[in-house]
Amino acid sequence: MSSLSRPTAVRGPALTFTGDPFRDGLDRTMVHEPDAIVVMQDGLITQFGPAARIAPLLPAGTPVRDFGRDALISAGFIDTHVHFPQMPMIASYGTQLLDWLERYTFPAELKFADRTYTRQVARRFLQETLRNGITTSCVYCTVHAHSADILFEEAEALGLRLAAGKILMDCNAPEALRDTAQSAYDESRALILKWHGRGRLLYAITPRFAGTSSREQLEAAGALWREHPDCLMQTHLAETEAEVAWIKELFPERASYLDVYDHYGLCRKRAVFGHGIWLGDDELQRLHEADAAIAHCPTSNFFLGSGMFDITRAIRANRPVRVGLGTDIGAGTSFSILQTLNEAYKAAQLNRHPLSAAHAYYLATRGSAAAMHLEDKVGSIAPGMEADLVVLDMRSTPLIAFRMDEARDFAEQLFVQMILGDDRAVQATYVAGRPAYSR
Ligand SMILES: [Zn+2]
């Protein structure tokens, strides 16, 4: 886009965060503006504030889309853990993690040897994220290098800020889905050189998990990350008890599950570990020291019967760990971030610590941006931030409209949305200032 592009604006109630409410409290971090204008130009937010203050400053003729008082403008939602090739197998019955990989996931991922199929699914996946107001995702592809290439091509065409990587997997998987330590290194490196930092795209080095990578491959992944430290690194960690026991058998020489990754240089800033349900205090301490993150994926955790992640424990004030939110499609059961927050609330309830709606919206936006170390670019509404927005309709179903009439305050209205709302609540999605989806 040329620097001469004209500004555009959206108007309506808005919610955003200037910091971490878990650490600093809602009073100091939450901004709720009942009638706001967000001005966007050249992909960035240029102004944000009360309509009464911003409207007189707009250049004559600036188009302003007014969503009305029943809307809510937020920074676009962020999904810190998702598998695009698992979209065709979402809602597969009856097994827990390790059997589920064998019975459903590996057969589904074998189909991605076909590039045409890969592109069809990648397109469908990105459209579905936009329908749900998700503007940034951290995505697992398959072992095939072209699965990452194709996803990046499609994301680039949409102007999305997105991180992704080809899976590294050289053991305990079907022959046709295995790479080697060397090919994993070579193919990932080529993808990094091609895509990392191109436009808004980022590369995530992606060993599936310690159960499907040899020591040699973990070593290669660590070397690659040392050579390209600005990349993200994503993998799975302590999702189920059976998995934790198996990793202990595979790596008896290591002190803990996290220590396997740490030993190979895979635990530091910009690491995003999926799940982290069954971690010891020493492991949480290490994640804190390393400034690494956990992706909390509650719909998946309940669906596979993996456990209930205790967010209060993870973010404990004396050693807070960065926590983002993930849909974990296809073990996760919804692309809707509102439905994911619904399940995050239930996970917190089972740990006897309710999760307030405002804290939950922070997790879905700025908190998840922070988990990816992107909070200076996306996840909040402020001048200089990238102009990725979701506009919610706060009366999207008859039941929600009825319930909203009874809500006494904004906190209650927000909570109703995250418990009852879903994709129908997403009225519009903006990517880099441009409308990318409209209901
Ligand atoms: Zn996953």
Side-chain angles (χ1 to χ4, degrees):
M1 283 174 44
S2 107
S3 59
L4 299 174
S5 83
R6 289 173 59 210
T8 60
V10 292
R11 179 171 182 172
L15 171 69
T16 193
F17 296 87
T18 58
D20 179 352
F22 290 101
R23 190 184 60 205
D24 298 325
L26 284 173
D27 289 351
R28 290 174 55 195
T29 57
M30 187 177 100
V31 178
H32 171 224
E33 180 53 59
D35 182 15
I37 289 181
V38 184
V39 187
M40 305 176 282
Q41 188 171 18
D42 299 327
L44 299 178
I45 295 167
T46 53
Q47 295 181 81
F48 168 58
R53 179 168 67 77
I54 302 291
L57 306 175
L58 289 175
T62 301
V64 180
R65 183 163 175 199
D66 189 342
F67 285 94
R69 65 190 175 88
D70 291 325
L72 184 68
I73 301 169
S74 161
F77 294 136
I78 296 176
D79 183 353
T80 63
H81 183 112
V82 62
H83 301 252
F84 96 83
Q86 293 181 17
M87 187 178 178
M89 52 159 292
I90 186 171
S92 292
Y93 169 76
T95 57
Q96 303 205 337
L97 176 67
L98 298 174
D99 293 333
W100 188 82
L101 286 171
E102 291 278 344
R103 192 186 303 180
Y104 298 117
T105 309
F106 293 153
E109 293 190 1
L110 280 166
K111 294 187 185 172
F112 288 78
D114 181 324
R115 287 165 191 261
T116 305
Y117 180 73
T118 302
R119 192 173 300 281
Q120 284 166 359
V121 178
R123 280 187 184 155
R124 179 62 68 91
F125 168 81
L126 293 173
Q127 288 307 323
E128 194 61 27
T129 64
L130 292 171
R131 280 188 68 246
N132 282 279
I134 297 166
T135 49
T136 288
S137 306
C138 197
V139 190
Y140 289 67
C141 302
T142 63
V143 73
H144 314 96
H146 66 248
S147 69
D149 254 327
I150 288 169
L151 182 71
F152 279 130
E153 285 167 16
E154 295 298 324
E156 183 175 55
L158 294 167
L160 287 167
R161 179 165 284 289
L162 174 135
K166 134 194 164 66
I167 274 186
L168 316 183
M169 181 157 71
D170 69 345
C171 58
N172 298 316
E175 180 73 40
L177 281 180
R178 281 188 232 160
D179 54 8
T180 66
Q182 189 63 48
S183 70
Y185 176 92
D186 292 343
E187 290 175 0
S188 300
R189 183 172 176 277
L191 287 164
I192 290 169
L193 296 178
K194 182 172 178 187
W195 293 108
H196 182 67
R198 174 160 150 181
R200 304 178 73 200
L201 303 173
L202 301 164
Y203 197 80
I205 297 166
T206 309
R208 170 171 239 127
F209 77 123
T212 50
S213 284
S214 64
R215 288 170 179 75
E216 195 187 4
Q217 185 169 69
L218 292 171
E219 184 91 51
L224 185 62
W225 202 16
R226 266 193 306 282
E227 291 153 18
H228 302 276
D230 293 343
C231 290
L232 287 88
M233 191 292 302
Q234 60 181 347
T235 190
H236 295 82
L237 172 67
E239 180 173 355
T240 72
E241 289 179 291
E243 169 212 5
V244 172
W246 187 45
I247 299 304
K248 198 172 184 152
E249 274 174 39
L250 290 173
F251 297 89
E253 73 278 18
R254 302 270 53 100
S256 66
Y257 194 159
L258 182 63
D259 190 48
V260 175
Y261 296 129
D262 205 5
H263 177 76
Y264 293 102
L266 297 174
C267 179
R268 59 172 177 76
K269 185 176 165 180
R270 281 189 277 278
V272 182
F273 292 102
H275 308 290
I277 300 171
W278 303 98
L279 292 173
D281 287 331
D282 52 336
E283 291 169 286
L284 288 166
Q285 176 69 34
R286 179 62 194 131
L287 288 171
H288 162 75
E289 285 164 7
D291 208 6
I294 293 172
H296 174 26
C297 309
T299 75
S300 166
N301 298 159
F302 287 133
F303 181 72
L304 289 179
S306 305
M308 60 251 186
F309 177 72
D310 187 349
I311 188 169
T312 304
R313 177 172 174 243
I315 62 169
R316 192 170 291 162
N318 62 347
R319 51 125 190 81
V321 176
R322 290 177 187 245
V323 175
L325 195 72
T327 62
D328 194 23
I329 301 297
T333 52
S334 180
F335 276 88
S336 169
I337 293 298
L338 296 175
Q339 280 306 294
T340 306
L341 292 178
N342 174 340
E343 301 293 309
Y345 177 77
K346 292 169 188 167
Q349 282 286 70
L350 286 165
N351 285 298
R352 302 286 175 253
H353 300 288
L355 175 67
S356 93
H359 288 87
Y361 281 78
Y362 164 78
L363 268 187
T365 53
R366 191 182 173 108
S368 285
M372 295 172 71
H373 286 267
L374 291 175
E375 68 269 35
D376 59 335
K377 296 186 173 62
V378 293
S380 54
I381 304 175
M385 300 294 289
E386 297 174 0
D388 293 345
L389 303 174
V390 56
V391 183
L392 298 180
D393 168 6
M394 302 282 269
R395 302 176 74 87
S396 61
T397 70
L399 175 62
I400 292 173
F402 175 74
R403 179 65 180 82
M404 288 291 280
D405 290 337
E406 304 291 328
R408 287 159 303 184
D409 56 25
F410 181 61
E412 196 172 331
Q413 293 176 358
L414 266 188
F415 189 64
V416 167
Q417 300 305 317
M418 77 181 229
I419 300 302
L420 300 179
D422 54 28
D423 54 334
R424 291 169 290 182
V426 175
Q427 197 170 350
T429 306
Y430 287 79
V431 171
R434 292 187 299 274
Y437 166 73
S438 194
R439 189 180 60 187

